[in-house]
Amino acid sequence: MADLRSQLVTRVRGTLSEALGATRTRLAGAETELTAARERLVRVRRAAAAVPQRVGAERDRRLAEIDDRHAARIAELARRAAAAALREAPGAASASWTAWRAAPAGRGEPIGPVRVGTLRIAGAEPVPALVPLLDAGHVHLSGGDRDGADAVVSALLLRGVGRADPGAVRLSGYDPEHLGGGLAGFAPLGTAGLLTFVGPGGLGRLLDDLVEQIRRINETVLAGEYGSLRELAAATGRRPEPWRVAVLLGGDELSRHERGQLDRVVRTGAACGVHLVVRGIPLPEDPTVTRIVAEPGDARVGAPPGLPVRLDPPPPAALVTETCREIASRVNAGPPPTPFTDLLPPPEQMWKEDSAHGLTAPIGEGPHGRPVLLTLGDYPPHALIGGPSGTGKTNLIFAWIGALAARYSPAELEFYLLDFKEGVSFARFAQGRRDPSWLPHMRLVGINVNTDREFGLALLRFLAEELRRRADAAKKHEVTKLAELRAVDPTGHWPRIVAVVDEFQALLAGRDVVAREAADLLEDLARRGRSQGIHLVLASQDVRGIEALWGRPALVAQFTLRIALPKALRILAERNDAAQALPRHHAVVNAESGMTEGNQLARIPSASDWETWSELQHRLWRMRPQDAAPARLFDGDAVPRLVDAPDYRALTPQGDTPPPRGPVALLGEIIDVQARSAALRLPRAPGRNLAVLGTRVDEACAVLDAAARSLARQHRPGTARFSIACLDPDADPAARALYEDLADDAAWYDEETVPELMAETAEALGRPGTPSTPHYLLLFAVDAAAGRLAAPAGGRSGLEQLRRILHDGPERRTHVLAWWRGIARMRVDLGGPAARTDQIGAWVALDVQGAELGSSLYPGTGGPDWYPRPWRGLFFDRAVHRTGQVIIPYGPSR
């Protein structure tokens, strides 16, 4: 039992020992864990204590980063806003006053807002504070900062007038407290009618006028086609109405009527260019009203609370006054012309019009921005243009020709242009050395013809012949009008013809045959030309030119289209004085014979300068038909050359058997529409000799030189004989040059040997048979040899032999082409004052008066109407002419 007990005790003790050991082990482990936990706790508490510091630092870092990004973003946005503001309001709309100057917006470009100050943005560059006004709305000012509000008013107005074209902004001031003193700097605008002041009690009338302007613009200008003037300008590139800005600076309580009118202007004014700048008068709430509250040190723009703005200082008074004076000066000088391109159709539409029923083209811009059209057709058929020198008559003709030429092809329209005043401005229509292009429609250009009325008469004769040709064709096809003729004869060439005669009164001056025939032809063309598509445009800068027509009421009545330039007289009807108040670059267009009810005001573009016209002419020239030929250019100051004459170039050597009509001697260029030569036929017939009469050496030599060279061109070498006798030392160079060029076919004689020429030639005439070789005697100043020829030689004097040669020579193919330095000298050589002159079948008179030629050389009594002038001659051939032909001797061949 004891053993069992002992064993149990031992076992118990062992178990307890094990339990104790395990407990101690667990205790030690728990203490270790406790220690570690306490250490972790300490670390956790230490870490927990460090977290707020790190979080705060990170928070501070992130906030700083956000602040930097925000500041950079604000700065970038401010920079972009400033750049956008400068784009929206460039130049005069936003420039600082130190660098400010008036700079109008481009054509068709909107005016945009204007600057009144800068937005206050901390840490960013200033951003212009812009306020919409012209074409946008109204501005209302309030607050206690009176000086700041005055600065805003001055800035708005100065920037507005400086951004618009001169005269495009008209101001009305209502300042009952200071009686206009608030707008004193703008007073110079009043001299041009751009600023008016309304006195106390006049607000109602001002508002009534603004409402009436809005009504008129809506009805007559916008006319339901456009929603606003800004929309119209954007679509057409034109602004027909000015901006009207009413500046209302305080006053008494508005009446019910005034309040109603003010509300109407606020609602409807911006679309019609009518705007308000108001201080001291409440304006109704409306999207078009921009409100500016100016308090000392604090200004806000826009709807409450508004954007904080630092207002600009007022513009310097000297800048305001100087700018307004400059604008007024430019307005008083008249508006500038509109661009010439306004008259032209788009390039793809050029030459697309049909002229069968008439010609229609714009000549300029009317008061409402719409084109003013000119028509030539059955009605009105012809036009009369008048205006003093410097008022733009030539420019108007250029503009009209350009507008027509761009719309109608050369197959539809032809021009004939004649300018009687001195100058070469119309020469650009023809081919020139400087510019090889020409206007394809132009058939004739005559310049510097102030002394060559015969050329104008030739043009009228040409048009009369064309009228007859068209009338005959119309009769053949049993029609009466050009449109009908073109319909039944589509293959014919029937363009409309426009003949422009500038300074036409030169044609009608005097009481000679030229004036009488010109007046008769003008009247016939004006009366009958309309039906056959021939239209006259007569222009004059002198009232006497217009008065030359009034004696022919039947002629004046045909010119129902009248165009009067500034200060023009006698163009419009007697009581129609609309032209007297015209500004520069404008014209009154009237298609009702000048009656007042037919007036249309047109602003004429600038078309006559070289660059403007050249661009259009080159475009049309490149479009010309392949068979197009340059216009005939007649320059009254130019001397033609024989080698350039078409008739001379057409001459060729004759065969062995000469033509029955004989060779032809060309003497000079006829003053007519075609560049024809004055031709003297030399057949075997009595009197086929030529006398050149006058003392002008160069001209006389030129006539004989051209005659000899043209004759030589018709003969092969060795088949003609030219005897050249020069008896005047001044003519020797020209005669020598001719002798050298004719080479072996020519023989030279002087004062000593000319009697031998007479004797030899007279002797040859007595031989039987007809000479096979023609003989031409070219006698330069033959009267100088009177003493030599008077002495007998072989039984007869040289003068008697000369008379025999003149009488018998032509039938034996011997012709005399001689120059006498006076008619009296020629008569002496022919046998005295009573001698017959039949042997002189043709003559060219130079500085010889018509009365001197008398009835012996010219048919009728009193001689021809001939007034000598430099480098002109009167040619008369008994066998051909009824009246003389004015010719221009050809210039020296060398």
Side-chain angles (χ1 to χ4, degrees):
M1 276 305 281
D3 292 336
L4 183 56
R5 189 178 296 135
S6 297
Q7 292 176 350
L8 290 171
V9 169
T10 300
R11 189 178 297 126
V12 170
R13 287 179 176 173
T15 302
L16 290 172
S17 296
E18 292 176 1
L20 181 59
T23 300
R24 288 177 176 172
T25 301
R26 286 197 296 272
L27 178 61
E31 290 176 349
T32 301
E33 292 177 0
L34 178 60
T35 302
R38 287 174 176 171
E39 292 175 355
R40 285 198 301 273
L41 178 60
V42 171
R43 290 196 300 273
V44 168
R45 287 176 175 173
R46 189 181 300 120
V51 165
Q53 184 178 357
R54 289 200 307 272
V55 170
E58 181 64 19
R59 179 198 60 199
D60 293 343
R61 185 186 67 79
R62 293 295 299 275
L63 289 175
E65 183 180 333
I66 292 172
D67 286 343
D68 292 341
R69 286 205 304 267
H70 178 71
R73 181 63 175 167
I74 291 296
E76 175 63 17
L77 291 175
R79 186 189 65 78
R80 293 184 181 181
L86 291 177
R87 289 193 301 270
E88 186 73 8
S94 62
S96 63
W97 298 127
T98 56
W100 191 91
R101 63 182 180 85
R107 182 176 176 84
E109 179 183 347
I111 296 298
V114 295
R115 167 177 160 166
V116 295
T118 54
L119 295 177
R120 296 183 294 179
I121 303 176
E125 63 178 287
V127 175
L130 305 181
V131 171
L133 181 62
L134 301 183
D135 275 339
H138 318 280
V139 176
H140 180 264
L141 295 132
S142 60
D145 187 357
R146 179 69 175 267
D147 293 338
D150 290 342
V152 171
V153 172
S154 298
L156 285 172
L157 299 183
L158 184 61
R159 293 188 187 279
V161 298
R163 183 72 176 134
D165 289 330
V169 176
R170 298 180 183 178
L171 306 179
S172 299
Y174 175 69
D175 188 8
E177 295 181 9
H178 295 84
L179 300 179
L183 300 176
F186 295 87
L189 294 176
T191 62
L194 302 178
L195 173 63
T196 56
F197 288 102
V198 178
L203 178 60
R205 293 191 302 274
L206 172 60
L207 293 176
D208 290 343
D209 179 66
L210 295 179
V211 170
E212 175 60 23
Q213 295 291 348
I214 294 170
R215 183 202 61 77
R216 179 186 61 81
I217 291 171
N218 276 321
E219 290 185 5
T220 64
V221 180
L222 300 178
E225 187 175 357
Y226 299 98
S228 66
L229 288 177
R230 182 171 186 170
E231 181 182 332
L232 184 152
T236 65
R238 303 182 182 91
R239 185 178 181 88
E241 291 286 333
W243 287 278
R244 295 174 172 85
V245 180
V247 184
L248 312 181
L249 303 179
D252 298 330
E253 184 71 23
L254 301 185
S255 67
R256 181 177 179 181
H257 173 74
E258 292 170 343
R259 171 56 60 189
Q261 296 291 67
L262 185 66
D263 290 350
R264 293 184 181 94
V265 173
V266 170
R267 290 195 313 271
T268 62
C272 298
V274 177
H275 307 281
L276 301 172
V277 176
V278 179
R279 190 193 67 210
I281 300 176
L283 289 185
E285 294 295 331
D286 193 272
T288 61
V289 177
T290 299
R291 301 188 182 275
I292 300 177
V293 180
E295 299 290 354
D298 181 27
R300 293 188 172 270
V301 176
L307 295 174
V309 171
R310 180 183 295 108
L311 296 177
D312 287 337
L319 178 63
V320 176
T321 303
E322 180 181 351
T323 301
C324 293
R325 284 176 179 168
E326 175 64 22
I327 291 173
S329 174
R330 294 180 62 181
V331 171
N332 287 328
T338 58
F340 177 50
T341 52
D342 286 358
L343 300 185
L344 306 181
E348 65 274 9
Q349 294 298 319
M350 289 185 175
W351 290 6
K352 299 297 185 182
E353 300 291 334
D354 186 335
S355 67
H357 296 279
L359 301 165
T360 299
I363 193 59
E365 179 183 275
H368 297 154
R370 302 181 186 277
V372 176
L373 300 179
L374 292 183
T375 296
L376 290 175
D378 289 345
Y379 188 91
H382 312 292
L384 197 60
I385 302 173
S389 177
T391 55
K393 176 167 54 66
T394 299
N395 179 75
L396 185 144
I397 293 173
F398 266 81
W400 196 1
I401 289 176
L404 287 171
R407 285 167 171 78
Y408 299 94
S409 71
E412 300 287 335
L413 170 64
E414 289 182 350
F415 286 111
Y416 292 80
L417 183 61
L418 193 59
D419 187 1
F420 273 100
K421 68 178 183 298
E422 295 182 1
V424 296
S425 58
F426 293 141
R428 69 186 64 179
F429 295 121
Q431 190 176 33
R433 291 186 298 270
R434 174 183 175 186
D435 185 356
S437 72
W438 70 87
L439 188 65
H441 310 69
M442 197 65 61
R443 306 313 314 141
L444 172 72
V445 178
I447 59 175
N448 292 320
V449 291
N450 51 312
T451 61
D452 289 316
R453 294 187 302 143
E454 296 84 359
F455 188 79
L457 185 59
L459 171 61
L460 296 182
R461 289 170 177 168
F462 172 84
L463 294 176
E465 178 61 25
E466 176 65 16
L467 176 61
R468 185 198 60 77
R469 185 180 76 88
R470 294 185 176 207
D472 290 346
K475 184 183 298 184
K476 174 183 176 182
H477 291 282
E478 299 180 348
V479 296
T480 58
K481 296 182 179 180
L482 180 68
E484 299 170 347
L485 177 60
R486 290 177 58 164
V488 299
D489 184 20
T491 60
H493 182 63
W494 309 114
R496 286 194 179 266
I497 291 175
V498 176
V500 182
V501 184
D502 197 5
E503 300 306 326
F504 70 93
Q505 71 274 6
L507 264 176
L508 307 177
R511 297 183 178 180
D512 55 9
V513 294
V514 173
R516 290 193 294 271
E517 184 178 357
D520 291 339
L521 288 172
L522 271 176
E523 185 168 338
D524 184 57
L525 287 167
R527 181 171 51 86
R528 299 195 298 132
R530 70 167 73 199
S531 61
Q532 302 303 332
I534 298 177
H535 308 283
L536 301 175
V537 177
L538 305 184
S540 177
Q541 68 180 13
D542 192 334
V543 66
R544 290 174 298 177
I546 308 303
E547 289 174 343
L549 295 176
W550 297 122
R552 291 179 171 263
L555 175 59
V556 176
Q558 302 300 325
F559 289 82
T560 53
L561 176 59
R562 312 284 177 86
I563 305 174
L565 294 160
K567 308 301 180 184
L569 299 174
R570 302 297 299 275
I571 289 288
L572 305 175
E574 183 176 356
R575 296 184 180 181
N576 188 352
D577 59 354
Q580 303 310 304
L582 277 180
R584 291 179 60 200
H585 313 300
H586 284 70
V588 174
V589 176
N590 188 303
E592 301 296 336
S593 299
M595 301 303 292
T596 305
E597 57 269 19
N599 287 350
Q600 291 187 80
L601 184 63
R603 185 180 177 192
I604 310 301
S606 176
S608 59
D609 66 274
W610 177 268
E611 294 299 330
T612 298
W613 180 261
S614 181
E615 182 177 350
L616 172 64
Q617 179 161 305
H618 277 81
R619 178 185 293 277
L620 300 181
W621 181 62
R622 291 190 294 269
M623 295 167 57
R624 71 190 185 279
Q626 292 184 352
D627 59 348
R632 150 91 156 121
L633 175 63
F634 176 83
D635 185 351
D637 287 346
V639 177
R641 299 172 67 241
L642 178 66
V643 294
D644 297 330
D647 290 337
Y648 177 77
R649 294 198 299 268
L651 296 176
T652 57
Q654 301 172 359
D656 294 334
T657 302
R661 297 184 62 194
V664 59
L666 305 182
L667 309 178
E669 183 178 286
I670 302 172
I671 297 181
D672 69 352
V673 173
Q674 293 90 7
R676 297 183 300 157
S677 299
L680 171 63
R681 287 283 178 184
L682 298 177
R684 293 178 56 195
R688 303 318 294 161
N689 302 298
L690 174 72
V692 181
L693 307 172
T695 61
R696 292 177 181 151
V697 177
D698 292 342
E699 297 171 26
C701 291
V703 173
L704 293 182
D705 182 89
R709 292 179 187 275
S710 56
L711 289 169
R713 190 176 175 87
Q714 300 166 71
H715 298 285
R716 294 192 301 271
T719 61
R721 178 184 173 192
F722 294 86
S723 296
I724 301 174
C726 183
L727 309 174
D728 185 340
D730 292 336
D732 191 79
R736 284 283 181 185
L738 175 62
Y739 168 68
E740 294 172 2
D741 289 345
L742 294 181
D744 296 337
D745 290 337
W748 180 264
Y749 299 88
D750 56 19
E751 187 176 354
E752 298 292 334
T753 57
V754 70
E756 300 176 8
L757 171 63
M758 298 296 118
E760 175 190 348
T761 305
E763 180 184 354
L765 294 178
R767 297 170 188 161
T770 301
S772 60
T773 301
H775 186 192
Y776 305 105
L777 282 73
L778 299 158
L779 309 180
F780 291 77
V782 62
D783 56 279
R788 292 280 183 182
L789 295 178
R796 289 188 177 184
S797 70
L799 288 178
E800 291 175 329
Q801 292 166 341
L802 173 62
R803 294 166 196 156
R804 182 185 178 191
I805 295 169
L806 289 169
H807 188 273
D808 299 334
E811 295 186 69
R812 304 292 304 277
R813 304 185 70 185
T814 299
H815 306 274
V816 175
L817 294 87
W819 163 36
W820 278 275
R821 292 173 296 183
I823 293 180
R825 294 189 177 191
M826 183 187 73
R827 290 187 181 280
V828 170
D829 290 349
L830 295 182
R836 294 178 61 86
T837 58
D838 296 348
Q839 61 268 45
I840 303 296
W843 47 262
V844 175
L846 300 174
D847 55 338
V848 177
Q849 295 292 335
E852 296 181 52
L853 295 168
S855 58
S856 61
L857 290 174
Y858 195 79
T861 59
D865 286 329
W866 166 244
Y867 306 96
R869 49 193 187 270
W871 211 262
R872 296 292 186 272
L874 183 67
F875 170 49
F876 182 76
D877 186 343
R878 295 176 187 268
V880 178
H881 297 148
R882 295 175 57 190
T883 59
Q885 281 185 332
V886 180
I887 68 171
I888 307 174
Y890 288 113
S893 299
R894 290 191 176 184

